[in-house]
Amino acid sequence: MRNSIWVIIILSVLQSCTSHPETETDLIHLIPQKTAAILRVPKWQDLKNSLQSAKFLKSVSETRLYEELDQKRNLLNYFNPEKESYIAWIALGDDDYDLAFITEAHKNLLPKDSSFTKQLNNYDYEGVAINHIKIDDQEIYFITNDTYLLASTSKLILENAVLQANSGRDPEDTSLKNILKTSSAQSPNLLINGFYYKSLFRDIFDHHRFQSSKKSFDWLGVDLDIETDAVELSGVLQYSKDSDQNARLFEGLSPATTNFEGLIPISARGYSYFNFQDWEVYKSNLAEYRGALLKDFKLPLDDYMQYATGVGSLQQEDDVIVFSEVTDAEQAGISLQTISGEAEIFREYPIRKLNDSTLFQTAFRELLNLPALEYYIALDAHFFFAKSINQLKDLTANYQNGAVLNNDQTYKQFRKNLSDTYTLEYYTNTSKTAQYLDQKLSKEHAKGLKHIDLKTYPHAALQLSASDDYVYINGGIYETPVSQKKSQVVQIASIKLDNDLLNNPQLLKNYRTKGQNILVQDVSNTLYQINQSGKIDWKKELDGPILGAIEQVDLYKNGRLQYAFVTPHHFYVIASDGVIVQPFDINYKNTLTQPLAVFDYDGNRDYRFVIIQDNVVSMLDREGKNVKGFKYEKAEAPVNAKPQHLRIGSKDYLIFPLENGKLKILSRTGDLRVNVAEKFNFSGNPITTEKSDFVLIEADGSSVSISQSGKVTRKKSNSGTETLFDRGGSITAKLVGNVLTINNEKNELDLGIYSGLHVFTYGTSSYVALTDLQTNRVYLYDAKANLLPNFPVYAASNVDLAHSGNAKNLLLTCKGESDSVLIYQINL
């Protein structure tokens, strides 16, 4: 990855080099052959310290590329150029480059101190003296005379220059000289050779790759406007009309506006968009480029493209989605129906399957790196094409939830720096791209990428606008100080199971990654473990449905967590790799009637497992043996809810609600600790504590307090309706009718069928979740009863919430369609 962020490095080197050249010199004929990129700088007086002082470089100082360039800074450290100078990147292979430095000679160009001259050696090559010096294990070679200095870290480059000079051949590139004429002599310039364009950018943005291997253009030249808070690019791309260069396809096209940012998910790490506007002009260019007669030139997408104004691709992790803006969505949809068939309906949007997956590759292989595409969906006046249905489902969900670029304040601020019209645009989210490269490249090549801090430079873009005989370029990377005050909610995965869901998905800790796993069971009683990225790790068939929630335990007290739960006839403990942990593969002849209760009285992982079979109570220890001394083995009536362990002060209380309305409050040994004479109409809400009292909510909404002496105080509800209740830490949440109260703050909700009221507490932060099963929407509130931005979002079940492993992000999981699990990421 020698070149993966080389452009950023160049810009950083030039942070302080903005003065005007004193004179113009013609050093172009010294540029080595196979030069991939050139940096022209008017003055270099501050260059010696720029690698260490440049603001931008500090964010990439741990990368391998920085270290390599820093090692080669000796190429410049011992020279003192005063006038126009060049640094050239010479291609050594497909992914390797060396440096050359060229400047006009003057009397103070070389150091005169003895520490330099004593180390200086030279040798004769074809009648020319090549000097060399070793500085900090770095060999520097240079040729100097009264006119110029040519230096390099490679002696081969200098020897080739000597051979060229002796042959009498001038290797000057006419197209390079022409592009220099369009560049400003008063600012630094970056020049890119069209032959090496693809390899230079290959590692940075994979959507810059082209399926065509032909040269893209002659030269690209941009002026660099280096400010303390931005690096702006403006310039020209030059191509030959009588060549087979890709840029010829821009002829006759006019820049125009677009309107797709309201559909691009904020989770995208980048996109590219070819805004051709007039399909017939582009088609004519393409036919000529491919050497075909226009009257005979046919493309499978012809009918659809009559209504399209552009085509682009967006990147999310390893996925690529192609999208297109159209002028008439209805007619465009009709044209696609002739080359597709029905697949399924997702949230009222039809998804269709294409008959040919290579349609877009055929039409745009010269300009865009597009994958095979199987399915498509229409959203507003846009069509989206993807390899899998799940990609389109996630895209649609994020569109419906408002998790799109138009709602990202930093992106909106960034767009103000760009032109509203263009022919081709490349955009990247800098942090997401750095993270992606860190995962994809070798450890050596990716060194330091994960540590790059680009928070204040989150976006970068390059725009190409076709006009006359040139393609004009503008773009850059800008410091964007606008704070993202609103949290963002992104659907990061939709996982289709083999069958419909049997229970609600649950988040449980992944002790290896410090993130989360999702566990869920389908109607065939198969248990799935899904990682937080949406990949199914394993499946395991069980003997029945899991009762209640899965508990997490650490039986061996080594931090390696296991899953504990019961089915109607079995008690399981399963490791995170799906293997049953012995001896917890226990079969029961009589039916288990309540979820597994796990008590850890002192937090020392000496677990007590409570098994309920109607009115029969069993307590097992962490070795699967019956706990000796536990006396409450048979209740007077069936237990009607999962037993609870509560602590008030230093005392432990075991809570057993019974079907006859009695409430048993016991000690650790099963002895009666609080004698409660009254009976209750239990609602199914958990019993909680408040100060030294027990609190429960009855089915009619009445609030009941029970003292430790057994005294009952009942506060009747005026509503007489079912009440949802939960408490976590200092937060109390209650839903009566359609009024949600969080502590003392009330919110009146729309009428609905509400379920799953739950308080989630993480450190000092608390959140309250509530699902409306009538509209399939989940609401998430903070501790002050404020609805989090971008909520509600789609959910067809109660939800679970947990930290993602990143302290600033939460994960939320729920049921999507009848057979799918959704994973949302909440960026706080």
Side-chain angles (χ1 to χ4, degrees):
M1 198 200 62
R2 291 176 184 267
N3 54 326
S4 67
I5 51 174
W6 68 275
V7 172
I8 293 178
I9 299 295
I10 292 170
L11 301 182
S12 305
V13 170
L14 291 173
Q15 184 91 16
S16 56
C17 305
T18 57
S19 55
H20 296 184
E22 296 176 9
T23 60
E24 288 192 19
T25 58
D26 187 8
L27 303 176
I28 301 303
H29 70 282
L30 297 173
I31 299 292
Q33 292 183 334
K34 296 185 178 181
T35 291
I38 302 169
L39 183 62
R40 183 175 73 170
V41 182
K43 194 171 184 180
W44 292 84
Q45 60 184 14
D46 299 320
L47 184 60
K48 293 180 180 179
N49 298 320
S50 62
L51 286 175
Q52 295 179 339
S53 63
K55 178 181 177 182
F56 216 4
L57 265 180
K58 292 177 182 178
S59 66
V60 296
S61 60
E62 295 187 29
T63 63
R64 178 187 178 218
L65 176 61
Y66 178 91
E67 291 180 353
E68 288 182 353
L69 191 58
D70 192 46
Q71 290 170 2
K72 294 180 180 179
R73 65 196 292 266
N74 288 326
L75 178 64
L76 307 174
N77 259 359
Y78 289 89
F79 303 123
N80 300 296
E82 292 182 353
K83 299 182 180 181
E84 189 175 51
S85 305
Y86 295 82
I87 288 182
W89 275 257
I90 299 95
L92 302 180
D94 189 45
D95 193 34
D96 201 3
Y97 299 86
D98 220 322
L99 295 180
F101 176 62
I102 306 164
T103 190
E104 186 177 354
H106 64 90
K107 63 179 182 179
N108 296 319
L109 180 60
L110 297 177
K112 294 181 173 56
D113 59 275
S114 59
S115 63
F116 179 82
T117 57
K118 285 182 178 179
Q119 298 181 68
L120 192 62
N121 297 291
N122 65 70
Y123 67 94
D124 181 85
Y125 184 76
E126 298 291 329
V128 176
I130 296 181
N131 303 287
H132 67 95
I133 185 171
K134 190 172 185 179
I135 304 171
D136 297 333
D137 295 324
Q138 175 69 62
E139 291 280 0
I140 305 296
Y141 302 87
F142 65 92
I143 298 171
T144 185
N145 55 34
D146 294 338
T147 306
Y148 65 84
L149 176 140
L150 171 60
S152 177
T153 51
S154 168
K155 70 176 182 179
L156 181 61
I157 289 175
L158 295 193
E159 290 174 357
N160 285 339
V162 171
L163 291 176
Q164 290 172 358
N166 289 347
S167 70
R169 292 183 292 105
D170 186 351
E172 181 178 306
D173 186 333
T174 303
S175 59
L176 171 59
K177 198 165 186 177
N178 290 337
I179 201 71
L180 277 169
K181 291 178 181 178
T182 70
S183 302
S184 171
Q186 299 178 348
S187 64
N189 316 121
L190 177 63
L191 311 167
I192 305 293
N193 188 330
F195 186 81
Y196 298 100
Y197 169 74
K198 301 164 194 175
S199 62
L200 285 171
F201 285 90
R202 178 178 56 219
D203 287 335
I204 308 176
F205 312 122
D206 54 359
H207 50 287
H208 282 269
R209 300 178 190 169
F210 298 99
Q211 293 179 19
S212 170
S213 60
K214 296 179 180 179
K215 183 177 181 180
S216 301
F217 50 85
D218 287 328
W219 280 89
L220 176 156
V222 292
D223 302 329
L224 307 176
D225 184 8
I226 313 297
E227 304 291 344
T228 57
D229 59 352
V231 177
E232 290 187 301
L233 312 177
S234 60
V236 169
L237 180 150
Q238 184 176 306
Y239 62 93
S240 303
K241 288 190 175 184
D242 57 351
S243 69
D244 59 354
Q245 296 172 0
N246 309 93
R248 285 179 51 202
L249 297 170
F250 291 144
E251 288 186 33
L253 301 181
S254 299
T257 59
T258 57
N259 187 34
F260 56 74
E261 290 86 353
L263 295 102
I264 303 297
I266 57 175
S267 56
R269 58 182 169 82
Y271 66 74
S272 56
Y273 192 76
F274 176 35
N275 192 20
F276 54 78
Q277 289 296 310
D278 191 328
W279 167 251
E280 292 301 330
V281 172
Y282 171 70
K283 181 183 174 183
S284 176
N285 291 345
L286 189 61
E288 183 179 354
Y289 180 81
R290 295 183 182 176
L293 294 175
L294 182 59
K295 65 182 181 65
D296 300 324
F297 189 58
K298 302 295 181 184
L299 291 170
L301 282 172
D302 253 344
D303 291 341
Y304 170 76
M305 286 298 169
Q306 300 300 321
Y307 307 101
T309 58
V311 169
S313 65
L314 66 92
Q315 293 74 38
Q316 287 185 283
E317 297 297 334
D318 293 324
D319 296 332
V320 176
I321 297 176
V322 173
F323 62 100
S324 178
E325 203 165 85
V326 298
T327 56
D328 189 327
E330 182 179 357
Q331 290 302 315
I334 292 173
S335 68
L336 286 176
Q337 287 180 9
T338 62
I339 54 174
S340 65
E342 293 184 6
E344 64 175 87
I345 304 294
F346 178 70
R347 301 185 190 176
E348 300 182 359
Y349 288 98
I351 297 177
R352 297 180 64 85
K353 190 175 192 308
L354 293 168
N355 298 337
D356 182 356
S357 64
T358 64
L359 295 174
F360 284 90
Q361 292 174 335
T362 302
F364 297 100
R365 64 173 178 259
E366 287 83 2
L367 291 176
L368 298 171
N369 179 37
L370 303 179
L373 304 164
E374 301 285 349
Y375 302 92
Y376 72 88
I377 194 170
L379 301 175
D380 291 342
H382 301 79
F383 285 77
F384 291 83
F385 305 80
K387 184 177 181 179
S388 73
I389 287 181
N390 280 346
Q391 289 175 256
L392 297 178
K393 288 181 177 179
D394 289 346
L395 177 91
T396 304
N398 285 319
Y399 163 65
Q400 292 180 325
N401 295 333
V404 292
L405 282 180
N406 256 3
N407 292 331
D408 183 329
Q409 296 303 311
T410 63
Y411 179 81
K412 291 171 73 172
Q413 181 71 18
F414 168 75
R415 290 295 314 180
K416 294 178 182 179
N417 300 298
L418 302 177
S419 172
D420 292 333
T421 63
Y422 59 84
T423 306
L424 181 64
E425 178 174 286
Y426 298 120
Y427 159 79
T428 187
N429 181 295
T430 56
S431 294
K432 289 185 174 68
T433 298
Q435 292 168 8
Y436 175 79
L437 291 174
D438 177 64
Q439 295 171 1
K440 294 299 176 184
L441 300 177
S442 68
K443 184 176 181 180
E444 181 185 11
H445 286 171
K447 182 181 178 182
L449 277 175
K450 65 174 65 176
H451 303 298
I452 293 178
D453 184 5
L454 295 168
K455 291 178 182 177
T456 57
Y457 296 88
H459 311 286
L462 187 70
Q463 295 179 320
L464 282 68
S465 299
S467 179
D468 304 323
D469 295 333
Y470 290 97
V471 177
Y472 295 95
I473 298 168
N474 73 283
I477 182 167
Y478 304 85
E479 186 174 22
T480 310
V482 177
S483 60
Q484 191 74 8
K485 295 181 179 179
K486 295 183 178 180
S487 63
Q488 298 175 330
V489 186
V490 183
Q491 181 176 307
I492 58 176
S494 173
I495 306 97
K496 185 179 176 65
L497 307 186
D498 297 334
N499 300 285
D500 287 352
L501 274 68
L502 179 63
N503 50 27
N504 299 330
Q506 187 178 345
L507 289 166
L508 293 147
K509 290 181 182 178
N510 183 320
Y511 70 84
R512 291 188 176 92
T513 66
K514 310 305 180 185
Q516 301 291 327
N517 289 326
I518 294 95
L519 271 78
V520 66
Q521 191 177 21
D522 71 17
V523 294
S524 72
N525 294 323
T526 298
L527 178 66
Y528 298 72
Q529 178 177 285
I530 305 166
N531 68 28
Q532 66 183 45
S533 297
K535 178 185 176 183
I536 296 175
D537 292 330
W538 50 257
K539 308 174 190 178
K540 189 172 189 64
E541 188 173 340
L542 305 178
D543 70 332
I546 296 172
L547 303 181
I550 297 171
E551 302 287 343
Q552 205 156 21
V553 296
D554 182 3
L555 291 179
Y556 303 114
K557 300 185 180 183
N558 60 3
R560 297 184 177 184
L561 303 177
Q562 302 91 31
Y563 308 122
F565 55 87
V566 296
T567 66
H569 291 281
H570 218 90
F571 176 19
Y572 293 96
V573 175
I574 296 178
S576 61
D577 58 3
V579 176
I580 293 177
V581 178
Q582 298 298 335
F584 294 98
D585 186 10
I586 305 172
N587 189 58
Y588 290 88
K589 182 177 180 181
N590 294 328
T591 302
L592 281 65
T593 54
Q594 294 298 332
L596 176 69
V598 180
F599 301 157
D600 184 9
Y601 299 126
D602 300 313
N604 59 7
R605 293 170 285 186
D606 285 330
Y607 301 106
R608 297 294 184 259
F609 300 104
V610 182
I611 305 292
I612 304 297
Q613 295 168 291
D614 284 329
N615 65 332
V616 176
V617 180
S618 303
M619 181 177 282
L620 307 181
D621 63 17
R622 56 191 292 268
E623 295 179 352
K625 299 176 182 178
N626 286 314
V627 175
K628 295 180 181 180
F630 184 71
K631 303 172 184 178
Y632 194 65
E633 297 179 344
K634 192 169 186 178
E636 63 191 69
V639 179
N640 83 332
K642 175 182 175 179
Q644 293 177 246
H645 167 238
L646 300 175
R647 174 168 283 186
I648 299 176
S650 61
K651 293 182 179 180
D652 293 297
Y653 300 87
L654 307 187
I655 311 298
F656 289 82
L658 306 182
E659 285 188 1
N660 63 3
K662 296 289 287 183
L663 180 64
K664 296 298 180 181
I665 304 179
L666 312 176
S667 68
R668 287 191 187 186
T669 60
D671 292 316
L672 189 65
R673 170 154 272 179
V674 177
N675 185 18
V676 184
E678 293 192 33
K679 292 186 177 182
F680 307 97
N681 184 13
F682 297 112
S683 63
N685 289 305
I687 296 170
T688 61
T689 61
E690 185 172 354
K691 297 182 179 179
S692 62
D693 293 338
F694 304 95
V695 178
L696 65 89
I697 302 295
E698 293 188 293
D700 64 357
S702 298
S703 178
V704 178
S705 293
I706 305 169
S707 71
Q708 292 192 52
S709 64
K711 181 181 176 181
V712 175
T713 302
R714 184 179 274 103
K715 183 179 180 181
K716 283 286 187 182
S717 170
N718 295 325
S719 67
T721 60
E722 182 180 356
T723 299
L724 300 180
F725 176 84
D726 196 29
R727 173 175 287 143
S730 62
I731 306 300
T732 299
K734 180 188 291 187
L735 181 74
V736 180
N738 66 324
V739 177
L740 174 65
T741 303
I742 299 176
N743 288 348
N744 295 318
E745 299 295 329
K746 293 186 177 182
N747 279 306
E748 186 171 348
L749 309 179
D750 293 337
L751 294 176
I753 301 173
Y754 292 99
S755 174
L757 180 66
H758 193 76
V759 178
F760 298 92
T761 300
Y762 306 103
T764 59
S765 299
S766 294
Y767 305 92
V768 177
L770 180 68
T771 302
D772 181 0
L773 297 178
Q774 180 171 289
T775 59
N776 290 336
R777 291 285 185 268
V778 60
Y779 297 79
L780 191 63
Y781 296 86
D782 64 19
K784 296 181 180 180
N786 298 310
L787 185 67
L788 265 61
N790 299 315
F791 277 90
V793 297
Y794 187 89
S797 71
N798 300 343
V799 305
D800 200 6
L801 188 74
H803 270 301
S804 67
N806 180 330
K808 295 183 179 180
N809 295 335
L810 296 175
L811 291 178
L812 183 150
T813 188
C814 60
K815 175 182 175 181
E817 307 309 302
S818 62
D819 60 352
S820 69
V821 174
L822 303 182
I823 305 174
Y824 293 97
Q825 180 171 291
I826 304 169
N827 305 318
L828 300 175

